[in-house]
Amino acid sequence: MHMSSIKLKTSLPGPKGQALLERRKNALPAGLAKSTDIAVDSAEGALVWDVDGNQLLDFAGGIGMINVGHRNEEVVQAIKEQLDKYIHSCTLVTTIEPYIRLAELLNSVVPGDFPKKTLLANSGSEAVENAINVSKYYTKRNAILCFEGAYHGRTLLTLSLTSKYALFKKGFGSFVSDIYRIPAPNMYRKIDGMTDEAYIQYCIHKLDEAFVSQVDPESLAAIIIEPVLGEGGFIPIPKAYLQKLRDVCDKYGIVFIADEIQCGAGRTGKLYAMEHAGIVADIVVSAKSIGAGMPISAITGKAEIMDAPHPGGIGGTYGGSPVACVAAIAAINILKSKSFLDKSVSVGLIIQNRMAEWKTKYKVIGDTRGLGAMQLVEFVKDRNTKEPDMEVAMEVIKDAISHGLILIRAGLYSNCIRLLPPIVITDEQLKEGLQVLEEAIERADTKRKS
């Protein structure tokens, strides 16, 4: 295969990269880990150039932050034009038109045939926190239901919701009380001997049981779920289960919050992942790719819910920065276009078809899965026991990175590799990156056979 997008001049990291990594080590806290040794000089589309002049392919996409590609032309132009006007004057003090325009856009594209309102913030964590706070205020209840494998952020409240202890929570307690967590359906790790249908019904039964054993549904302010678990391992939540949650929320007056931070923004072939299941949430939380690399997040929900808190009860100094707003307006107009969503579907199909072949070829692969262009490979020590193999996942990533492909892990056991390339990637670039990844998997698989 003609390798054209990846052009390596040095080993990775090169001398300049090593020098920058040394500065990082001395200046930044050790807890701010890095999943690669790539030191970036510039980036465009799906390509990244490091400080040593190596040209690399990006399959991590800033953990799903740049679906429209690095330095998207329309986004950059919108930012430049805004910078010539003003940078920020604070929405708690003045009214700025880009904030309103972005809110109007989100209110129109978020699923749901009812009046909506949008609050803007700076990060996914902040958006989730606001969604929970607004839900508590609206329902006058305190309890929240979330799911095992969920990732909702790193603030005190969102870290309390997050479910991967050693990596995210260890040493940071105590956590917020009145949070209840139950297993999310995971079709790959379903109970042996159960059909898919029986397993989903079993999970629904366990949910009903939790409403007896753990928390009264009438005490719940909100149920929060990612329609496709992100950090948890790209696990699409079955339609029947999401429908059950929607029914429970309707019956007991619970706010249904969809965390679409990683799985939204056109990643799955629909603007929002929950659209695949035909489910409408009361509040949708967006971040990551809606800003195309700028720090912005959004809480879009039913007007009556969003209007609940008293004046002054929500907001922040930087929330809805006009520079970030115009970037998000440009990005969302691309993300919602038919051509972009069609491309997302086709990117997903190319990845899926290629990974399906790998599953038959390489014993180290237990499962390949995802929705649209949100795809993942899960590595196991044994296909029958499905025992997670985090070592092989790390080995494959290091190997692929050394050959110019930027990748990151995922999964409750960190035994998965997630593929989040910018959707604007060309078919040639995508196939080249998949070839690099396959060769790394093949080397790891061969090593284990010998």
Side-chain angles (χ1 to χ4, degrees), residues 239-259:
K239 178 179 178 176
Y241 195 83
L242 288 172
Q243 186 59 59
K244 168 69 176 182
L245 295 180
R246 179 68 270 177
D247 293 345
V248 166
C249 288
D250 288 339
K251 184 175 178 183
Y252 295 104
I254 303 163
V255 179
F256 188 139
I257 303 171
D259 179 339

Side-chain angles (χ1 to χ4, degrees), residues 48 105 149 151 212 216-217 236 438 440:
V48 170
L105 178 57
Y151 179 84
V212 178
D216 184 335
E438 175 167 7

Side-chain angles (χ1 to χ4, degrees), residues 222-420:
I223 296 176
I224 183 165
I225 193 164
E226 301 158 272
V228 182
L229 296 190
E231 199 66 43
F234 286 21
I235 297 165
I237 303 297
K239 178 179 178 176
Y241 195 83
L242 288 172
Q243 186 59 59
K244 168 69 176 182
L245 295 180
R246 179 68 270 177
D247 293 345
V248 166
C249 288
D250 288 339
K251 184 175 178 183
Y252 295 104
I254 303 163
V255 179
F256 188 139
I257 303 171
D259 179 339
E260 291 261 3
I261 291 168
Q262 191 170 165
C263 62
R267 174 51 61 179
T268 63
K270 304 262 190 201
L271 188 55
Y272 294 97
M274 63 182 164
E275 293 180 62
H276 290 279
I279 305 298
V280 173
D282 300 309
I283 294 178
V284 173
V285 180
S286 318
K288 288 195 185 284
S289 274
I290 66 160
M294 291 295 284
I296 190 162
S297 61
I299 308 94
T300 304
K302 283 185 173 169
E304 61 181 296
I305 298 173
M306 297 300 294
D307 274 337
H310 59 272
I314 50 178
T317 304
Y318 286 112
S321 146
V323 182
C325 284
V326 295
I329 292 163
I332 292 166
N333 280 325
I334 298 164
L335 294 166
K336 73 183 180 75
S337 69
K338 184 179 186 301
S339 58
F340 183 89
L341 294 172
D342 287 349
K343 180 75 196 298
S344 184
V345 171
S346 87
V347 166
L349 283 171
I350 291 169
I351 299 172
Q352 269 176 289
N353 294 337
R354 189 69 182 272
M355 291 199 318
E357 294 170 20
W358 299 350
K359 211 167 150 183
T360 60
K361 284 201 260 185
Y362 307 114
K363 292 276 189 287
V364 287
I365 294 177
D367 193 29
T368 59
R369 61 174 175 270
L371 195 56
M374 187 174 180
Q375 295 288 329
L376 167 146
V377 188
E378 177 161 355
F379 295 93
V380 292
K381 291 179 180 175
D382 181 301
R383 281 187 172 176
N384 295 321
T385 65
K386 300 180 183 176
E387 186 187 343
D389 195 335
M390 42 288 276
E391 285 78 23
V392 77
M394 201 64 226
E395 189 183 312
V396 169
I397 283 181
K398 284 183 172 167
D399 185 338
I401 289 169
S402 73
H403 289 87
L405 184 68
I406 301 171
L407 287 169
I408 49 171
R409 288 194 292 179
L412 194 58
Y413 305 101
S414 301
N415 66 317
C416 307
I417 294 177
R418 59 181 130 188
L419 276 59
L420 292 169

Side-chain angles (χ1 to χ4, degrees), residues 153-232:
R154 292 181 188 260
T155 59
L156 178 61
L157 173 54
T158 58
L159 197 56
S160 305
L161 295 164
T162 288
S163 167
K164 191 171 177 180
Y165 201 91
L167 185 59
F168 298 119
K169 302 174 84 154
K170 184 180 170 186
F172 293 131
S174 301
F175 297 105
V176 175
S177 61
D178 243 1
I179 287 174
Y180 301 87
R181 191 186 325 279
I182 63 170
N186 179 343
M187 304 314 290
Y188 174 57
R189 295 184 177 276
K190 66 183 185 196
I191 295 165
D192 285 347
M194 270 194 186
T195 63
D196 286 0
E197 182 53 39
Y199 173 67
I200 294 167
Q201 287 308 311
Y202 168 80
C203 292
I204 287 171
H205 170 70
K206 294 306 278 183
L207 173 71
D208 286 331
E209 205 174 80
F211 290 143
V212 178
S213 64
Q214 290 199 54
V215 62
D216 184 335
E218 290 182 1
S219 301
L220 283 174
I223 296 176
I224 183 165
I225 193 164
E226 301 158 272
V228 182
L229 296 190
E231 199 66 43

